[in-house]
Amino acid sequence: MQGIVGVFRELDATVDAVHALKKLRAGNIDIYTPAPRHELEGILTHRPSIVRLYTLIGGLAGATFGYWIPIWISDYWPLVVGGKPVPSWVPYTIISFELMVLIGSLATVAGLFITARVPRITMTVGYDERFSNANFGVWVECPPEKQAGVTETMKRHGATEVRGER
Amino acid sequence: MSENSTPSGVRRREFLKVLGAGGVATAAIGCSSDRVEKLIPYLNHPDETVPMVSNYYASTCRECSAGCGVLLETRDGRTFKLEGNPDHPLNRGALCARGQAAVQGLYNPDRYRSPMVRNRSGQLVAATWDQALKLMEQKLGEVQKGGRAGSTLFLNRHESGSFPAFLDEWLAANGMPAHLSVDPLADNAVIAANRQSYGVSWPWLAFSAARLIVSIGADFLDTWGANVPQQLEFADARARLADAPRFVYVGPRRSLTGCNADQWIACRPGSELAIANALLGKGSVNDAATASDVPVATLQALKTELTGARPALVLSGVAGSDAMELALAVNELNRQLGAVGTTVQPDRAITSFDGIATDADVIAAVEAMRAGQVPLLMIRGVNPVFTSPKAAAVVDALKKVPFKVSFSSYPDETSELCDLILPDHHAIESWGDAQPMANVIAVQQPGMAPVYDTRQTADVLITLAKANAGIAAKFAAPNYMRWLIDRYPGGTSAFTLALEKGVGTGAVAASTAPRRATAIPKTAAPIAQTAGDLFLVVYPSCSLGDGSGANKPWLQEFPDPVTKICWQSWVEINQQTAVKLGVDTGDILRVETAQGAVEAPAYVFMGIQKDTVAMAFGLGHTAYGRYAAGVGVNPGDVLPVGFDAKSGSFAWTATRAKVTKTGAYTPIVTTEGSARQHGRGIAQALTVRELADLAAGRVTEHAEAMPGMPNTEYLPGLRSPMAADAQGVVSSNIKHKEQGMYSPDHWSGMAKRRWAMTVDLARCTGCQACVTACYAENNIPTVAAPYQESHTAFLHGVAGGNILKGREMNWIRLERYWEGGEDGGDFEARFVPMLCQHCGNAPCEPVCPVYATYHSPDGLNVQVYNRCVGTRYCSNNCPYKVRYFNWFGYGEPARPQYAWPERLSWQLNPDVTVRGKGVMEKCSFCVQRIREAEHRAKAEGRELRPDEFTTSCAQACPSRAITFGDAADNDWTVAKLALDKRGYHVFQEQLNTFPAVVYLKKVNHPAPAAPAGV
Amino acid sequence: MATVTRPDEEVLRLGPNIPEANIQLPGVEKYEQVTREIQRTLYPTKLWFAGLSVAIICMLIGLGAWMWQVYMGLGVAGYSPPVMWGVYIVTFVFWVGIGHAGTLISAILYLFRAGFRTTIYRAAEAMTVFAIMTAGLFPILHLGRPWKFFWLIPYPNWRLIWPQFKSPLVWDVFAILTYLTVSSTFLYIGLLPDFAALRDAEPRPLRKHIYGVLSLGWRNSELEWRHFARAYLFLAAFSTPLVLSVHSTVSFDFAMADTPGWHATLFAPYFVAGAIFSGIGMVFTIIIPIRRWFHLKHYVTLNHLDAAAKLCLFTSLVVGTAYLTEFFIGWIGGNSMEQSYWWNRVFGQWWWAAWVMLTCNCVLPLTLFVQRLRRNTTWLFTLSIFINLGMWFERFVIFDPSLSHEFEPWQWTRYAPTYVDWAILLGSFGWFTMWFMLFIKNFPVVAISEVKEIVPPPLRTPHPVEGIEVTGMRLAFEPETPGERD
Amino acid sequence: MTKRRKRAVVPGLAALAVVAVVLSAYTGATQQPDTVIKDRGSWGYSAASSPQGRSPVQPIAFPHPTHVQTLGMNCLYCHFSANKSPDPGMPAVGTCMGCHLVIGPNRPAMNGRPARKSEGIATLQKYWAQKKPVPWVRIHHVPDYVNFAHMPHINAGVTCQTCHGQVQQMNRVYQYASLNMGWCINCHVGNVNPKWKARYDCSVCHY
C-alpha cells in the first residue's frame, strides 16, 4: 500500500485540497484532523455511520435477556415471597432496563471498534504525529505514476509538507 | 459411672460423647469444616436409647423449694432441656424460667471440677476424692473424739422428700444435732400463720373459685410460695373472662403480681397490718388511711366490695416486723369471708415448705459460730454470706469456725471461705425424691452421667459412714439410690413404676430429729421509727430468686418483667419524689441506712409509692462465677438484722433510708423503647362491659383503633386468608402460584396446613417463662455477659453494653405497655408476647435478595440461616421488629463473644443450627419440632394428630396463654381459638400483613363504681 | 462541533451571555496551545505526591477498620437494632449520588449541546467513575457475611438456587454494575483521541508507550471521527436514562419498604435531584482547586462556573421542594405513625441532623441568586463543602431516624456510630481521592480534542465580515462570549 | 490482518470460559462417580466442591462384602437406627464382639481361600480388650446446618444404595454421591424416581 500524505496548517486549505484531489481521481482519500470539523464532514462520503445498528440490536437483546432470566428462574424454583405472584413482571422491568442499557452500550462500543477499525496495533502508513496536535492531513492512496500529480495539487493548495509513503 | 448394673438402670445413662453422629452443631454457617471427623460408636449400646432420638426422664426441679416435676430431655447422653412434667400435680407440665435455666447450672463453666482442699498457703486447690474424704474422716474423728460433735452445724438447702430424714439420721449416727433446712425465699411468717390457722404450712390457693382477690403484698406470681401452681390457678381464674375474679393489689410497690391486678392501692410500707385490720373491722378505716396514705374512700370501697364478694381470697406476703400478725389477720379475714375450704384449701396443702428453718434459726447459728461454739460446719447448697444482711457479719462468724466443709457445686461467697469442698452433683445428676403434696411422692432421677468429677452428697455421707466402723451397719445400702429404693413404699417395683411417670403415691420418711428451739435474736424495730427520709423496700428478684440464679446467663439476660432491666441493679423511685430530688432515670442514687450504703442508678417508676424506694435482691455477687461476680449491687448490705417477733422471719422491709443523688450517671440497661403504645393497638383490652357487647354482637369501637386508618373488620380465623395464601389464591397471579407445592391439590398436601398461634392476653401474666423456654429450645445466645463485651471498646466491657445497643436475641419478648397513670393516678400494665408473626404477606420476604427468607407452603415464614448474607433488609422491613442479627460470633468458639464457654455448649439443642456471625435469625415456630412430629407420623404411617405437639414457649407457659397448631384443620385447638371474638392481629388494619399470630384481647375488671374503659 | 469564529466588539459590552450556553475560550487561540498546556499538567509535583500519600493513608485506615469488622463481626459498628442500616448505607447513597452529576454534565448536557460542559466534563466523568467505585464497596462491606456477596449475582451453581429478583437489592446490583460499566466506557471512549494526542506529544518514552497502547491506534482520520461521533452520541443517549434510573433504583431500596419515612412515591425524583445537587457540589470541590493549581483558569472560566452554579441553584430548589413535599404528605396523609415519625425527625430526637440538612441544602445555596457570588470561586468552594456535608446528612436523616422510630414503640431506639464507622467513612474518601489523584496526573483532566472543537481553527484567508466561501458551504459568524479578565 | 485475527480469539476464549464454568457447576449436581478416587486425605476440595469419591483408610479394614454378600447380613443389623432415627447408628463394639468373640482372627481355609490371620478381627479384639471404641473415619458428611434425617427416607422406600452406592461390594467404602444440595433437590423433585417426590423448599432441611 503506497501513496502520498500531505500536511496542512490551515483548515480551509485542507478543504480546498481535498476537493481538488477528488477531481483528480488519484485514489482513496483519507483526511486527518485534530478535532472533528463541520467543514470536513461529508466531503469524502455521505453514508451515515452504521454504529446505530449495533446499538439497536444490543439494546433489544439486553432487554429480552433482562426479562427472560428472572422469569425463568422464578418458574424454575417457585417459592412464594410476601404473597406475591411467583414471576411478577413489574420488578423484572428494572432488570430488563438495566440490561438493555448495559448490553446496548457495550454493543455500541463494539460497533465503533469494528466500523472504525480500532483497536489497531501498528500505525499504518500515511500518518503523521502532527495530525493529532495542530495540523490537518490528507492521505491519497495512489500508484507511483499518479504521485507526481497528487504532490503538485497538494503543494498548490498550501501543503506545508508532502511526502510519499510505501 | 457406677459399674454395678441395677434394675433401675444407672448403667443405661453411661455414655461416651459422640462426636459427629448427633454431636453438637456448632459450625459457623456456610463454611463446611475441613477436619476429618471421627465416628465414635458406643462401646456397649445402652438398651433403650436410639441415637438422635430423645429420651425423657421424669425428675424433680430443685431450683426452688416448690419442687415441680420436670422431664429431662436427654439425647446421646446429654440432658439439654427441662420440660414440665404433665403428670405432676403442682406444675401440670408448665415450668418457670428458673426451672428452665437449671441446665445452665448443670453445665455452668464455673462449677467445681473436683474436690478442693485448702492448702498451707490458704489457697483452695484441686484434690482427689480419696484425699478429700480422708481429710473429712479425719476431721469428723477429731470432732467426735473431742466430744464436740453435739455442737457441729449442718446447713442444708431446703428440699422436701427423704433427704432431710436421711441427713438427720446420718447426723444422729455421728452424734450431731439435726440440720437446718434453709430457704431464704420462704415466707416464714405466712407458713407459721398457716400452721397456726390451718395446721398446714401452705394451703392450696384456688384462685378460680374466688370472686375477688385481694393481695396485700403477696407476690404469688413472682417468688411468694409455689409460683407455678399459683400462676396456673390464677390464669385459669382470669380465663373465666366475664365472671373472672377482680384482683386488687395492696402494697408499696407494684410487682409483677401487682401489674396483673385490676386495681393497685399504693400504701406505705409497714401500714399493711392497719389496712388488714380495717378490712377485718378490728381497726378504723381512717387510722389505716392516715397510716398508709391511702384515701379513705378507696379503703372504704375496698371494704364494702370485699364484704360483698363471697368467696373472696385475701393474701398477705409482707416481710415486715409484724408479718405474722398480718398473716393471721388475713387468715381470719378469709375465714370470715368463707374462703377456707373454697379458695383456701388446707386439705390440698402443698407440703414442699414443711420443715423450713426460720431466718432467726440461721442467724442464731451464725451467732453460735461467732461465739466459737461450732467446731465443724457443713454447708450444702446455701450461701448465707450472700443471702444474710451484711450487718449479720456472717464472714467474721465463719472465720471463728475451725473447719468448714462445703458441698456446694459452685464457687460462691460462702464456699470460698470453706476449708474443704466436696462438690455435690447438680440435681439433674442426682437421685432423690420430693413430697410436694400429701400422699404424692415425686422421684428425682439423673438424666445423665456426671459432667464433672463430683459426687452426690448423700453418697459421700454413706461412704463416710461406711468408713466409720461404729455406724457402718446403719448405712448398709451401697448408695443413696438403693437407700431410697429400700425405703420406697412398694419397694423396687413401685419405684421403677414411679420413675416412668415421675410421681408415685405414699409418704416418704420424715425426719424425727428434734428441732432446736431458738429465741428470736433481735426483733426488728417498726419501720416507721427508723431513720431516713424514704422507706426502703427490698424484694427478691423474680428471675434470680435469692441470688442463686445469678450465675445463669439466661436469667441474667432475662429482663425484669416489670422494669425490663437486666444485667444491672436499680433503685425504683416514684416520679413525684424524683422530681423533688431532681432525679432522672439513670442518675446514680446513694441509698444509705444505719447499716451502710449502696449506689445504683435510679429507675423512675410510677408503680411505687411516693415515700418509698425499692431495690431487687439477687445481684451484687463478689464471687459465684463469671456471670454473677461484679454485676450489680447487693441491697442486703444496707439491711438491718431484724425479725418478725412471732415467726422469726427476717424483715426485708424494716428500714427507712437516706436517698441522695451522687451526680454520676449510667444508662439503664433496659430492653424497653417506649413504654406507651401511642394508640397503635398492639396490646388491646376490653372491659367486662365491652366484652358483653362483643358477645352480644354489638361491635364496639375500641380505643386502640388507629386514628386516620381504615378500621377494617377483623378477619375471622386464619383459614380463609392464610392457608388460602399458602395455596396461592389470595395473590394476584393464580396461574403461577398453582405450580409446585403451593397448589391446593399438590401431592405433598402441605399447602393445606397453616401453622398458627393464639396468645390469650387475658391469661398472660408477663412472667416470661416463654422467653427462657425459647432460649433453651432454639440455642439463642446471651449477648451481654461482661466477658462478651470486653473486646469492644465502645461497649466499655460492662455488663449489658450490647443490651443498651438493643442487640438482645429474645426471639419472643414480653412487651409491657403502661396505660393511663400520666396524672400520677392508678394505671394499667399490659403484657404482650411479641414474636415473629409468620405473616401470610410477610414484608420481610420480598426484600431478601437471596431467598434466605420465604414463605413455606405450610404457612411458615422461614429463615434460612446458611443462605443469609446479612443485608438486614428484612429486619428494616419487619413492622414487628422481631428479627435478630448475629452482630458478633456468638456461636464461634474462637471469638471472645462466644456464648457457650465449656461446657455450656452441651446444653445446645442438636436439632437447631447454631447461628454464626453475620446472619439474621428469628422465631421459627419451633420448626424442628414440626419436622420431628412429621417424621414420627410418617414412620408410624399416619397423619399428624391434633395437638400432637406444641412449641417450646407454649409448652412452658405457666399461664397456658399460648396455643399453637394447624389453623387450617378444625380439630386443632388453635383453629377454634383463632375464631374467638376477642381476637385481633397486630397492625393488620394498617399493613395487611395477615399474621399467623392471633392475640385475644385482655379483659379488664374496673372497680364496680369506676366508669367503663380503664 | 464548532465553526469558524471571530471577535465582535459590540457583544463585549454586554454582560456575560450564559443563556446561549455556548461559552468560548478567549484565552485559547491555537490548537498547539491546547495540546501543550494540557500535556503540561501531567508532570507530578511534590504537592501531588503529598496529597496522594495522605489519601492512601486514609484508605489504609479504612481498610484496617474493615478487616477488624470482618474478624469481629458487624457489632463493632454502631448499629443499634432496629437501626439495621447505618453509616455504610448512608455513605453508599452519598457516593452514588456524587456520581450522578458527572454523567449529567458529560451526557445530558452533551445532548442539550450545552457548551459550558466541554472543559469540565472530563473531570466530572472521572469523578463519576471513582465515586461509583467507592459506592460499590459499601453494599459489600455492610454485609454480615461479605465473603458471600456473590450470592446476589445470578450464576449457575450446584445448589440450583438463584437470587430473588423481586428484591430491590438485586436491582441495585444490576443498576450499580451497569452504571459503573457504562460510565467508565464513556470515559474511556472520550479519552481515545486525547490518548492519541498525548501519544504524539509526549516526550517521556514510557508514558509515550503507555499512551500509545491506550490510544488503541487512534489516528484522527475522518473515518474514525464519523463513527466516533455516532457512538459517542448513543452512549450519551444511553447514559441519560441511566442517570435517572440508577438513583431511582437506589431510592427503591427505601421506597419499597413499609418503614414510615421511607415508603413514599416521591423518592425516585427526590433522590435523583438530590444526587445531581450533591454531584455538582463535588464538581466544584474538585474543579476549583484544579483550575487553580493546573493554571487552567482560561479553560475553566468563571462563565463555566457561573453556569454550573445556576444548575446547582436549580437542583437545590428542587431538593428543597422535595423536603417540603415530604413534610406536607406526612402531615396530610393522616397516618398517625407517619406523623409521629415526622415530628420526631424534625423537632424531636433528630432535630439537629434535620436542621443541618436544611441549612446546608436549602438555605446556603440561595446565595447563588447573586451573580457576584456565583462568580466568586472562594465562595463556591466553601459552599460546595457545605453541600457535601448537607447531602451526607440528608441521607442520614432519611434512613436512621426512620428506623429508630418505627411502628413498634417498644423498639424505638437511638443510634450512634462508632470509631469503626467513622474510620471506614474516612477510608472511602481516601479511596476516592487516591484514584482521582492518580487520574489527574496521568490523564488529561480537560478534554483536548473537544476543546479544540471550540477554539478557532487556523485559516489561510482573512474572512470578510459577512462570512466566507471556502468550501461552497456558507459559515455564519457567532458572537463570542467574553471570558475571565485575568 | 493477522493482528485482527488474534483479536478474534479473545471473545472466543471468554465464551469457552463461561461454558466451562456452567458445566463444572452442574456436574457437581448430577454426576455419579464410576471410578473411586483413592484417599484424598482431608476432604472438601473438588470441582463440584464436594469430597465425592473420597475413600479414607479406616482403623479396621472392614469388609462389607464378606458380611453382606457372603454372610447375608442386613444393613439394619449394624446400622440399627436408620429406620427409626435421623441417625443411622454405628454398631457398638459389643455388637461386633457378639460374633467375633467366637470368630477369632485365625481364619481357617474356606471356599478356596487359604487359612489366614485376619488383621481386622485382631484389631477389633484389641479394642474390645482395652474397652476402647473403634475410631471409624467419617465418610458421608453434610454440614451442620443441614438437618438430614435417615428415617423418613428409609420409610419412603429409598434404598441405602441410592445414596451410599453398592456398599455391599465395596472392600473400602467411598463417598458415592456428591451430597450437594443440587443432588438432593434432583431427587426431591422426583427426577430420580417419581414415587420419591418430596417437598423441596428450604425449610425441609435447613432450620
Side-chain angles (χ1 to χ4, degrees), chain C residues 193-363:
Chain C
D194 295 4
F195 282 142
L198 289 173
R199 172 195 64 205
D200 301 340
E202 180 61 53
R204 291 164 294 182
L206 175 61
R207 278 173 176 254
K208 191 178 184 66
H209 183 70
I210 294 173
Y211 290 133
V213 172
L214 289 173
S215 67
L216 302 180
W218 185 263
R219 303 188 310 157
N220 293 24
S221 79
E222 181 54 26
L223 166 93
E224 288 170 347
W225 281 121
R226 205 167 88 251
H227 299 301
F228 180 87
R230 262 307 140 170
Y232 202 72
L233 182 70
F234 283 123
L235 279 181
F238 267 130
S239 305
T240 305
L242 195 59
V243 179
L244 306 181
S245 81
V246 168
H247 222 57
S248 307
T249 312
V250 170
S251 80
F252 291 161
D253 290 354
F254 311 96
M256 293 291 153
D258 56 13
T259 311
W262 286 11
H263 190 64
T265 47
L266 173 70
F267 261 37
Y270 166 24
F271 267 50
V272 172
I276 291 169
F277 177 56
S278 65
I280 306 268
M282 187 59 98
V283 168
F284 282 134
T285 321
I286 284 170
I287 205 74
I288 289 177
I290 286 183
R291 74 193 279 274
R292 178 93 166 278
W293 294 337
F294 285 9
H295 310 293
L296 295 177
K297 284 183 179 169
H298 51 302
Y299 287 88
V300 185
T301 65
L302 280 185
N303 295 340
H304 294 83
L305 299 180
D306 190 338
K310 283 179 174 171
L311 189 57
C312 179
L313 175 58
F314 172 71
T315 44
S316 155
L317 294 176
V318 176
V319 170
T321 321
Y323 294 159
L324 296 178
T325 321
E326 263 193 313
F327 295 131
F328 176 73
I329 298 295
W331 165 69
I332 204 168
N335 177 334
S336 70
M337 300 180 182
E338 197 79 18
Q339 288 166 338
S340 95
Y341 156 69
W342 281 110
W343 185 263
N344 181 51
R345 166 167 156 184
V346 186
F347 305 107
Q349 186 182 2
W350 296 100
W351 64 271
W352 54 274
W355 288 103
V356 168
M357 166 186 92
L358 290 171
T359 319
C360 296
N361 297 353
C362 303
V363 180

Side-chain angles (χ1 to χ4, degrees), chain B residues 224-243:
Chain B
W224 186 80
N227 64 327
V228 172
Q230 286 158 355
Q231 187 171 345
L232 283 161
E233 280 282 344
F234 178 73
D236 289 344
R238 299 293 259 185
R240 281 163 51 215
L241 303 177
D243 53 354

Side-chain angles (χ1 to χ4, degrees), chain C residues 44-64:
Chain C
T45 64
K46 283 202 180 57
L47 186 62
W48 177 79
F49 275 115
L52 181 64
S53 38
V54 169
I56 290 179
I57 288 166
C58 293
M59 184 198 68
L60 290 178
I61 292 173
L63 187 66

